[in-house]
Every structure is written in structure tokens, then in C-alpha cells.
Amino acid sequence: MTRMLDGRVVLVTGAAAGVGRGVAVAMGRAGAVVGIGVRRPEAATEVADEVREAGGVPVVLRCDVTDGAQSAAAIDQLVAQHGRLDALVHNAVSNRSSEPTDLETAELDLWEEHASVTVRATWRLAVQAHAHLRAAQGAYLLMTSPAGIEGSAPLPFYSAVKAAQRGFVRALAREWGPDHIRVNSIAPLAISPALENLRSTDPERVARIEGLVPLGRLGDPTEDIGPPSVFLCSPEARYVTGQTLVVSGGRFTSL
Amino acid sequence: MTLLVIGDSGIARAITVAMRAGDRSVATVTDTAVFEKRDTAAAALAAAIDGAAITTVVFAHLDPSGFRTAAITELTEPAWDTACERSLRHAFVALQQVHALVADGTPIVLVLPNVGAVGVAGLVPLCSAVEGIRVMAKAMARRWGARGITVNTIEVELAAFILGDLGAEGAGTAVPEVPVLGSPALAPGSAVADVVGLIDLLASPEGRAVTGAFLMADRGTVMLP
């Protein structure tokens, strides 16, 4: 798995923390130039250091994915500096994505927050990256969620937008197949900053969650979610497209 | 006792006709622009129901702009919105307001085209919307089960969704060709009769334990793993 992305250029959105950060570090470990897409570049110093220490070349990019001009500029800057874009990983989610939603009273404003990051930006980033990915015969990888497959009672909006990404992946894989661009998604179960906080405030609840995972723990963003992400962005996965890989320690076996 | 049908798709119209032909009382909401806002949605639904007791709710709506085949790189942001996100928004608003209106135990059935689980080139916005709505329905099924409300999804062939039982020439609506979905295993029949039968099953006491389910009524065209 090491150096699988030598000489390749990858952009990861939402890379400041959590799964995005772990995926960015794993991409660096695999030898990639890693565009670290973040809303606040000053918050990306640590992850840039981690990518560098792992063996990659970090490029911190201001990239609020709800701002089309900003995401286009981020892609352009990365390509201008490094000549190509081999893979785009859209991982960013709304800051309110893990906030339980009272569906019966929820306002459209909240829906818009979810949709703008997860549905609209999924489309817009694809359009903005298309020519570069076609030139590189590259890959577009979306971070979806098991909630987008099973449907989550407390997270109905998150479930819906993550499911929309799966429909997007299947259809776009067919549309972009002739361009030799692969389109896939990963549905991870991993430690997030919110879960880390919960571990200190309600360790029993985290233990209950972990008890449902056959492998007995929540995934590590770098060590568990990173490698399959690297694989799907690499030439080793050249015949894999239109798929969702569930990386959940066996928690979700019926999807 | 009234069945409520929401949507202006061909299948919604055809379900309404079929149910009325069977002497059922059917209330309809076909002006889906009301679902842009929660208050207009609530008012339209209340006016359609007019105080009647609702036995079953059928939601069969997608914005028709999603049926136009186009590469995603050709879409403007407003075009993406109407072809994909508007349908998701409307489903959320409509079903949220339905939940506020109906009694405990009311079955809700969504009818959608069978494209999302397979994916179709040129119909990326539509496939995204269908999958989003399908899983939104599962989340609703989990939430509303405590009230005995069931939420299930039936998927039909794309042409049946757009046209109902009409031929393409009769509806004046273009239906994208989707050979990637394959051919139906069963002989041609009435998609409307098929879906009405499933709605009746899901709304009957025999269907009371079924919720969050995803039933293909496409004559064996898409057979999921």
C-alpha cells in the first residue's frame, strides 16, 4: 500500500479534521501531493505537517465547498502548481451533520446547510475537476455514510444527502466511464472529533457503540479509512467504479 | 375514508384514476410548487383533505426537469437544482407536513422510478434525487414507527413513472431510454395495476409489519443483490 500514489496529485476536501484529515495523511504516506482543502487555512498547519512527515507534499488550499469560486480556485491552484489532478476526495460535510435533527419541525434552512455541502458541492466539484480527472484518467471518491444506506432516525437529513451521493456515484460512474474516470464512494465508521468528545463525557455510550462493531472498535481515520481511500484513488483500482465500499469493522454487513 | 395522492407524475395521475375507478375517495395535491415552503404545503394539503380521514398517503413526485438527459458538465447550477435538489426538498416538505396531518397508523407509500439503485448516465441528478428520497423514507420509517406510521417505497419502470398507463404519444412527454437497466423478466402488463395492488397490500393489516422497505414493481427489470 505504501507509495501507491507516487507522482500523483490528490485534493481532499474537509481535510482539517476527522476522516478527511486521516485520508489526507494516508494519501501523503502513499507518496501523493495532497491538496488539503479547508475553510480556514490557519487550521490546517498540523495536518500539513502530518502529511509532510508521512512522506507527502502538502498544499493547503482555502476551499469552502459551498463557494463555487473558491473550490474552482483551489483546484486551479493545485493544478497550476503541480501540473495535474489525479484524484478528488469530497469528504467535507456540514458542521451540523452530526447534530440530531427533529425532522417533524425542521426548517428548510437546515436542509439547505446539508444539501449545499453534500449534494450541490458533490456536483459542482465534479464539474470543476472533470477536465483534469479526464486528462489523468483519475478518480472521484465521495465519503458517504452508512446512514446513507440504512437511514438514521436522528439524522434524517444527513441520511438523505449521503444517499443522494450514492445515486450520484452509480450514475456518474456510467457517465464518466468512457472518459476513464472512476467514481466510487466509501461509507466509513470512524472516530470523529464529536465521538472523541463523547468518549470523555459519556464513555459508556461510546463503549455501547463499539460493542456493536464485530472488530470491537471504531475505525481510525488514518489507519483504517485511509488505506481503502488510497486504493480507490490509485491505478490499482482501475477496474473498480460505481461502488460503495463500507469500511465499518463489520458493523454494517447487510448493505 | 380518503386516500391522499401527492404529485403530478404520470403514475400519480394514473393511481388516482385507478383508485377512483374502484370507487375510492381520493384527494390530490398536484401543484407541487406549494412544497417550496412549509406553510404553503400545509395549507394545500389541508385544503385537499378538507377534513376527511386519510387512510393512505401516496407520494409520487419528482421534478420533471430530472427526466431530461444531459451530461452533468452541461448543467448550470439552477438546472442542477431543479433536476435534483428541488425534488429532495419537495419530498422533505411534503412528507413533513403529511406527518403533521395524518392519524397514527397511517401508511405512507412513496412511488419512484427504478433508476437510483443502478445509476444511469445522463440522469445523474435524477438518480441522486431518487436515492436521497428513498433513504429519507427509511429515516422517516424509523422515526414514525412509534406512531404506527409505516413508510415504504415502491419503484417502477421509468416510463411507467413518467407516463402512468399512457403511451408516450399520449402524454407528450419524452421518456429517456435506459437500456442499462435491462429488460423486464415478466411480460408487459399494467404498471398502474401492479403498483395499486402493492399500495393496497402495504395499507392492509397484512402489511402492518412492513416499513422502511424498498419494493421493486418493475416486472423484474432491476433485480438487486
Side-chain angles (χ1 to χ4, degrees):
Chain A
M1 191 63 74
T2 56
R3 312 307 292 184
M4 199 180 267
L5 297 175
D6 257 340
R8 302 195 183 261
V9 180
V10 180
L11 170 60
V12 182
T13 70
V19 167
R21 181 178 183 149
V23 168
V25 173
M27 296 288 178
R29 185 186 292 167
V33 172
V34 185
I36 299 169
V38 291
R39 286 186 302 163
R40 294 184 301 115
E42 61 274 21
T45 307
E46 283 185 19
V47 64
D49 289 344
E50 288 179 79
V51 167
R52 190 177 297 106
E53 286 163 15
V57 177
V59 181
V60 175
L61 300 162
R62 185 182 297 279
C63 185
D64 176 347
V65 298
T66 64
D67 181 336
Q70 209 174 98
S71 57
I75 291 169
D76 288 348
Q77 182 184 333
L78 190 59
V79 173
Q81 287 181 9
H82 293 279
R84 57 191 292 151
L85 179 66
D86 294 278
L88 172 57
V89 182
H90 180 31
N91 163 78
V93 291
S94 160
N95 279 347
R96 301 178 70 181
S97 63
S98 60
E99 182 181 301
T101 301
D102 186 355
L103 179 68
E104 296 72 29
T105 59
E107 300 278 354
L108 273 162
D109 289 353
L110 180 59
W111 167 261
E112 169 62 17
E113 277 209 41
H114 284 270
S116 63
V117 181
T118 302
V119 183
R120 200 170 315 137
T122 290
W123 160 74
R124 193 193 291 120
L125 286 163
V127 172
Q128 292 170 342
H130 176 246
H132 304 301
L133 295 178
R134 183 176 56 195
Q137 299 197 357
Y140 188 24
L141 177 63
L142 300 178
M143 284 296 161
T144 181
S145 165
I149 306 172
E150 283 212 318
S152 161
L155 304 174
F157 286 174
Y158 183 70
S159 299
V161 296
K162 287 298 183 183
Q165 284 187 317
R166 295 191 72 221
F168 184 96
V169 161
R170 295 186 185 115
L172 192 62
R174 294 186 188 276
E175 190 165 311
W176 280 5
D179 289 337
H180 304 286
I181 304 169
R182 295 172 299 99
V183 187
N184 291 293
S185 58
I186 285 181
L189 177 65
I191 279 287
S192 63
L195 276 168
E196 288 287 13
N197 291 338
L198 192 63
R199 194 188 292 282
S200 57
T201 58
D202 190 353
E204 287 182 4
R205 188 163 165 212
V206 174
R208 279 199 302 277
I209 295 170
E210 289 175 331
L212 296 171
V213 181
L215 293 181
R217 59 181 176 79
L218 294 167
D220 178 86
T222 305
E223 305 302 332
D224 295 320
I225 313 304
S229 304
V230 168
F231 168 71
L232 287 173
C233 289
S234 78
E236 300 297 309
R238 67 182 190 179
Y239 202 53
V240 181
T241 194
Q243 306 302 308
T244 296
L245 182 57
V246 181
V247 185
S248 69
R251 167 69 181 86
F252 301 97
T253 53
S254 63
L255 308 181
Chain B
M1 303 297 271
T2 298
L3 180 128
L4 173 62
V5 178
I6 299 168
D8 62 356
S9 59
I11 198 78
R13 290 193 299 270
I15 289 167
T16 299
V17 169
M19 291 289 190
R20 285 178 174 154
D23 286 336
R24 316 268 193 103
S25 169
V26 182
T28 62
V29 177
T30 56
D31 176 12
T32 52
V34 300
F35 299 127
E36 282 294 325
K37 293 182 178 176
R38 300 192 322 157
D39 55 350
T40 54
L45 289 164
I49 293 168
D50 196 21
I54 297 300
T55 54
T56 307
V57 177
V58 176
F59 178 88
H61 175 67
L62 291 164
D63 194 282
S65 61
F67 305 135
R68 282 194 287 273
T69 304
I72 64 160
T73 49
E74 296 171 2
L75 298 176
T76 62
E77 190 156 322
W80 168 263
D81 181 77
T82 55
C84 174
E85 293 186 41
R86 181 186 285 170
S87 293
L88 285 157
R89 267 196 315 273
H90 284 185
F92 153 56
V93 171
L95 294 170
Q96 180 192 56
Q97 298 308 315
V98 160
H99 175 264
L101 280 175
V102 299
D104 290 0
T106 304
I108 298 172
V109 181
L110 287 77
V111 182
L112 297 169
N114 64 347
V115 296
V118 175
V120 180
L123 296 178
V124 175
L126 178 70
C127 295
S128 305
V130 167
E131 278 301 272
I133 294 169
R134 187 171 73 81
V135 175
M136 187 190 300
K138 292 171 79 169
M140 289 168 174
R142 294 183 190 279
R143 293 183 70 85
W144 299 345
R147 287 186 57 199
I149 294 172
T150 58
V151 187
N152 292 291
T153 301
I154 298 170
E155 291 201 357
V156 299
E157 291 172 275
L158 181 59
F161 184 87
I162 296 173
L163 301 173
D165 269 350
L166 293 174
E169 65 285 355
T173 303
V175 177
E177 289 189 20
V178 282
V180 69
L181 298 179
S183 303
L186 296 172
S190 167
V192 177
D194 295 340
V195 79
V196 165
L198 274 175
I199 291 168
D200 284 341
L201 172 67
L202 292 167
S204 72
E206 287 73 22
R208 65 177 177 264
V210 181
T211 194
F214 168 44
L215 307 173
M216 282 288 193
D218 64 354
R219 298 181 295 135
T221 304
V222 173
M223 297 189 189
L224 293 177

